[in-house]
Amino acid sequence: PPGPPKSHSFTTATSKTNNTSKKLRDPPTSRMVALPPRLNVKLALHEEVSSTAILDEDNNGDLSTSHLFVEGKITAQVSSSDASKNAPFCLHVSGAMISAADITYSNYCTPVNNRRNEYSYGSEIEGSMKYEVNIPKSKVERCEVISYTIDAKTHNMPILVQPKALLNNQNKCRISVQIRSNLGNHGDLANFMIVVAIPNTVQGSTLQVTRGPGTYDNIKRIVTWKIGNLAKGKSNLVSVEAELSSAVAKLLVDKKSTLKDAVIATTNNKIIQEKVTFPVLVRCSSDLDQISDLSLDAMDLDSVPASIVLQQTRSFRLLHRVGK
C-alpha cells in the first residue's frame, strides 16, 4: 500500500523568548543616503538711481525714454542646517542691462565660467553672469557680495512725468506737472517729492500754488510739493499760476486780433511752450521694486549639493529730472 504523503520542510528559526517560529529574512543590503543640507539664502538688491527724461520728438513730444545712471549693490545673508559650516552656492545674475554693467565682486564671490554676451544693451539680448558665493558660518549678518554701476537708456521707468505750460488768460500762465505711477510696479512709491524751478519768463512775485500742498521759495524760485506715498497706477497733478514777464506778454497775439479765437489760442500756447520752460525734479523710493532689469537666482553647485531656499528683496531711491 502507498505510504503517507510526504511533508514539505521549511527552514525556521525559533525565538528564545516566546517559542514561536519565524521565517528567516535576508539582511538589508542598501545604506541610508544623507540628505543635502538646507541652505537659507536671503538676497537683497538696492539701487541708487539718477535719471533724465529724453524728449522724443518723433513720438509727439512725449517723454518716453530716460537716460539713467544706477549704483547698485547685492547683499546675501546665509544660514544652514549644517551646524559646522555654510555650503557655497551659485549666484546667477541675468538681464539685458548686464552687458552695460560694470560689476565688482567681493571676497565672498568667485566668477564661474563667465562670458558676457557680445551684444550691446541696445540689442535687448539677455546676458548672464555666475558667481560661486561662499559666506563663512561666522557671518550671520548681511554681506555685500556684488556692487555695480549701469549707464543706459530705458523705456521702463516706475513713473511718467508730464510737465505742461498753458496760457490761462491774456497775461497769466499755468504751470502744471502730472505724475503717474507705473501700473506694473510691485508696490506703492514712498517719500514722493516734486520740485519745479520757476523760469524768469514769469513774474515770481505773482506766483500762486493752485493745486497740491506746495510751498514757494521766492529767493530760490522753486516750488516744492511733498506728496508722501503714491499708489501704483495712480496719478497726481500739481500746478501754479503766475503772470508772464512783460517781454513774453508782448509776444502774444491780442484777443482783439482779427484772427479766429482758436487760431489765437493755438498761436499763444505755442509761444508759451517755447518761452516758459521749466525743469522738474522728482524724488521717490520703493521697498518692492528696482529700476534696472537685473534678475537674481541662487542654485546649488554640482560639486556641493544643497537644498536652497531663496528669499529676495528689492529697493531703490530715484532722482528723476525732466526738462532743462
Side-chain angles (χ1 to χ4, degrees):
K6 296 181 179 180
S7 61
H8 298 282
S9 62
F10 298 89
T11 303
T12 61
T14 303
S15 170
K16 295 180 180 179
T17 58
N18 55 13
N19 249 358
T20 59
S21 296
K22 295 182 180 180
K23 186 176 180 180
L24 288 176
R25 296 178 181 177
D26 294 332
T29 58
S30 60
R31 295 183 178 180
M32 295 293 292
V33 178
L35 294 175
R38 176 189 174 100
L39 193 67
N40 298 310
V41 179
K42 296 181 180 179
L43 297 178
L45 181 150
H46 178 74
E47 296 180 330
E48 297 282 337
V49 185
S50 59
S51 59
T52 302
I54 301 172
L55 183 62
D56 187 357
E57 296 294 349
D58 295 333
N59 195 23
N60 298 320
D62 291 337
L63 299 169
S64 58
T65 306
S66 294
H67 182 193
L68 54 85
F69 182 76
V70 181
E71 293 180 299
K73 67 177 181 179
I74 300 169
T75 60
Q77 186 177 23
V78 176
S79 62
S80 174
S81 61
D82 187 335
S84 62
K85 62 181 180 180
N86 289 333
F89 67 92
C90 178
L91 174 60
H92 186 200
V93 185
S94 60
M97 286 188 182
I98 199 168
S99 56
D102 184 8
I103 298 177
T104 302
Y105 52 90
S106 72
N107 293 332
Y108 303 115
C109 284
T110 304
V112 179
N113 297 328
N114 281 330
R115 291 189 302 173
R116 291 177 186 249
N117 70 54
E118 298 177 355
Y119 300 92
S120 65
Y121 165 63
S123 66
E124 301 290 341
I125 295 178
E126 185 172 301
S128 65
M129 303 283 281
K130 291 183 179 180
Y131 300 89
E132 179 180 324
V133 180
N134 196 343
I135 297 179
K137 193 75 175 180
S138 59
K139 295 290 185 180
V140 296
E141 70 278 4
R142 289 187 180 275
C143 300
E144 182 175 320
V145 292
I146 285 177
S147 62
Y148 58 91
T149 60
I150 298 175
D151 189 342
K153 294 180 181 179
T154 183
H155 298 283
N156 301 317
M157 293 294 290
I159 56 174
L160 175 65
V161 183
Q162 296 175 306
K164 186 176 292 185
L166 292 173
L167 189 65
N168 194 26
N169 58 41
Q170 188 62 26
N171 294 315
K172 189 172 287 189
C173 174
R174 177 186 293 122
I175 295 174
S176 64
V177 180
Q178 180 164 321
I179 298 181
R180 186 172 72 247
S181 174
N182 194 325
L183 189 59
N185 294 343
H186 289 93
D188 300 345
L189 298 174
N191 304 312
F192 213 93
M193 185 172 67
I194 305 169
V195 180
V196 172
I198 303 302
N200 292 326
T201 47
V202 300
Q203 300 179 41
S205 59
T206 66
L207 185 139
Q208 293 181 328
V209 177
T210 55
R211 188 153 187 167
T215 56
Y216 177 54
D217 186 326
N218 189 41
I219 297 176
K220 295 181 179 179
R221 290 181 67 89
I222 59 172
V223 185
T224 304
W225 290 268
K226 294 181 179 180
I227 308 299
N229 288 358
L230 184 63
K232 69 173 183 177
K234 299 297 182 180
S235 60
N236 189 278
L237 177 66
V238 298
S239 64
V240 299
E241 290 185 357
E243 294 183 7
L244 296 168
S245 66
S246 58
V248 175
K250 291 178 181 179
L251 300 175
L252 301 179
V253 179
D254 196 287
K255 289 185 177 181
K256 297 179 181 179
S257 170
T258 57
L259 297 174
K260 293 181 179 181
D261 291 345
V263 176
I264 294 175
T266 301
T267 303
N268 285 343
N269 278 325
K270 186 176 181 180
I271 294 172
I272 293 298
Q273 291 170 9
E274 291 177 353
K275 300 299 181 181
V276 183
T277 58
F278 51 97
V280 179
L281 290 178
V282 179
R283 292 181 183 270
C284 61
S285 63
S286 172
D287 292 330
L288 295 173
D289 287 281
Q290 65 187 77
I291 304 294
S292 75
D293 70 347
L294 297 189
S295 177
L296 308 180
D297 196 10
M299 300 166 288
D300 63 336
L301 297 166
D302 293 338
S303 57
V304 188
S307 178
I308 305 289
V309 179
L310 176 62
Q311 291 181 308
Q312 294 190 57
T313 59
R314 300 174 179 85
S315 60
F316 72 79
R317 289 197 305 178
L318 172 66
L319 175 62
H320 186 61
R321 180 186 178 99
V322 179
K324 298 179 180 181

